[in-house]
Amino acid sequence: MAIERIENQTTRQVTFSRRRTGLFKKANELSVLCGAQIGLIIFSSTGKMFEYCSEPSRHTMG
């Protein structure tokens, strides 16, 4: 199945919101599991910015 732009604006916005939430959740999981510091910036089709930043790592290497 090819990935194509969703033409219906309402459906597209709902999908964007769900996928954005899922992406933030996965970024948080990756940060916790691997101790990675993650910054994520997403712009919607209307130009609204959404951001995620993981907590600074409590463990230092070295």
Side-chain angles (χ1 to χ4, degrees):
M1 182 172 149
I3 296 177
E4 298 178 1
R5 183 174 193 260
I6 299 169
E7 295 302 324
N8 181 286
Q9 186 175 358
T10 302
T11 304
R12 186 170 56 241
Q13 183 59 37
V14 169
T15 300
F16 174 82
S17 180
R18 286 183 185 157
R19 294 280 181 124
R20 182 189 71 232
T21 301
L23 188 56
F24 286 168
K25 181 178 178 183
K26 289 294 185 183
N28 182 62
E29 290 173 1
L30 181 61
S31 174
V32 170
L33 292 172
C34 300
Q37 292 184 355
I38 299 174
L40 185 61
I41 300 172
I42 301 172
F43 291 93
S44 71
S45 60
T46 61
K48 186 173 180 182
M49 183 180 81
F50 300 89
E51 59 187 76
Y52 168 84
C53 182
S54 62
E55 294 291 325
S57 177
R58 291 186 282 265
H59 304 283
T60 58
M61 297 185 73

